[in-house]
Every structure is written in C-alpha cells, then in structure tokens.
Amino acid sequence: MADLELLDKSIRRVPDFPKPGILFYDITSVFVNPEAFKYCIDKMVEIYKDSEIEAIAGVDSRGFLFAAPLAEKLGIPMVLIRKKGKLPGDTYSCKYALEYGTAEVEVHKADVEKGKKYLVVDDLIATGGTLVAARNLIEQGGGKVTDFFGVIGLPELNYEKVLAPSKITTLINYSGK
C-alpha cells in the first residue's frame, strides 16, 4: 500500500461531530498506526530538512505530536502554542474567532526569538484561525512565520487567503463530505 493511501486509511472519519452536518477527520487514529505516523514525520523531515526554518511552533495539542519529533530530527528549537491559562510564565496572548465562539492561545515570551524564521505545525488546517493567532504570537515576540504545516488540509474553507503570504503545506487534503 502506498504511504499516502496508508495515511488516508488511517484517518478516522466521524460524521456529525462536533455537530450535525460536520464530517470530523480524527487524526488520533494515525498515532496508533506506527507506519502512518512514521510516514508523516518522514515526509515532514523531507520537506523541511533543507529549508531556512530556524524554529518550530507546535499548536496545542495534536500539533505538538508532529512538531516535537520534527524539531528533534532537524535539531532546532520547538515552542509550545498553548490554550490560555496553561503556561506559568510571562506570555504573549491572542484571541481568535471560532465557528462557535472565541478562544485564546498563548506562548511564553522567553521562548520566541526575535528575527528567527518559524514553521507553525498543527494537525489539521481548516479556516486558518488558530494558525493566524499562532502567527500573531510569534510576531509579538519579533519572530517571523514563513511556513505553516498541517497533516490534513480542508482547502474548501479557504485557509490560503488568511494565511498568505506564508507557505502552506499539507500531506493530504479533503473536500466536501
């Protein structure tokens, strides 16, 4: 079986979650399939090994699971973009809109390095709202987000427009139901 086909078969589809009419792509099933998870990490390394990325920002929480092994393999720092109230130190904070309300993310001020080029990693890119907030946090600290990565992309939700001009990479895209 081809690696991309393996990844596709490893992603669980959950209809009507979190509300009726939504088809939820559950990436947690990738983590119980070592071959699919390895494929994701290996592809990420292949994509970014010769890039100018100097640090990685992983988005709470499944983004951490992809960002951490990539940072280790590339030998570069990883910072955590956490939900509000989860970090003990001085933080930058950014509120953003969700389909069903608002949310807020934070990053430790001490973790963001001025002038560094960052890759922001999450498991899935839908509307791009969370990633825009993550970019805002990095920019508050003087960093520059040059790239976004998601294992899954939902391009019909037009995330390209809100994430421009940064480069966006996904391993697999889904559209419609």
Side-chain angles (χ1 to χ4, degrees):
M1 180 183 322
D3 292 332
L4 191 57
E5 182 182 352
L6 172 68
L7 176 61
D8 181 49
K9 290 184 181 300
S10 297
I11 297 169
R12 183 181 300 122
R13 278 82 161 163
V14 183
D16 299 320
F17 183 82
K19 63 183 190 177
I22 302 289
L23 178 58
F24 184 79
Y25 295 97
D26 182 13
I27 202 158
T28 61
S29 50
V30 169
F31 301 113
V32 297
N33 184 330
E35 291 176 20
F37 184 58
K38 181 181 183 326
Y39 167 74
C40 293
I41 302 305
D42 289 349
K43 284 300 287 184
M44 293 170 73
V45 169
E46 180 183 314
I47 293 165
Y48 295 107
K49 69 182 177 191
D50 296 320
S51 74
E52 295 182 4
I53 298 299
E54 299 171 291
I56 298 172
V59 177
D60 198 345
S61 68
R62 291 176 301 269
F64 298 164
L65 301 172
F66 293 101
L70 178 61
E72 185 276 328
K73 288 183 181 293
L74 296 180
I76 60 178
M78 178 190 152
V79 300
L80 303 179
I81 306 291
R82 298 289 323 258
K83 294 175 179 126
K84 182 174 176 55
K86 302 290 184 181
L87 295 172
D90 289 334
T91 62
Y92 297 114
S93 182
C94 182
K95 290 183 181 181
Y96 62 101
L98 295 168
E99 190 176 338
Y100 47 84
T102 61
E104 192 167 352
V105 288
E106 298 177 324
V107 67
H108 277 132
K109 288 181 178 181
D111 292 349
V112 180
E113 293 189 48
K114 186 176 183 176
K116 274 202 173 181
K117 295 176 185 169
Y118 284 80
L119 163 67
V120 176
V121 174
D122 206 354
D123 63 328
L124 181 139
I125 305 175
T127 64
T130 304
L131 297 180
V132 168
R135 176 169 55 198
N136 180 286
L137 295 175
I138 299 300
E139 289 175 349
Q140 285 181 58
K144 177 175 175 51
V145 174
T146 59
D147 295 67
F148 291 104
F149 176 86
V151 174
I152 300 171
L154 304 178
E156 284 185 349
L157 298 178
N158 298 313
Y159 57 74
E160 297 92 353
K161 290 179 184 174
V162 299
L163 298 177
S166 299
K167 182 178 178 188
I168 306 159
T169 303
T170 57
L171 293 184
I172 194 164
N173 290 320
Y174 294 111
S175 60
K177 290 187 177 187

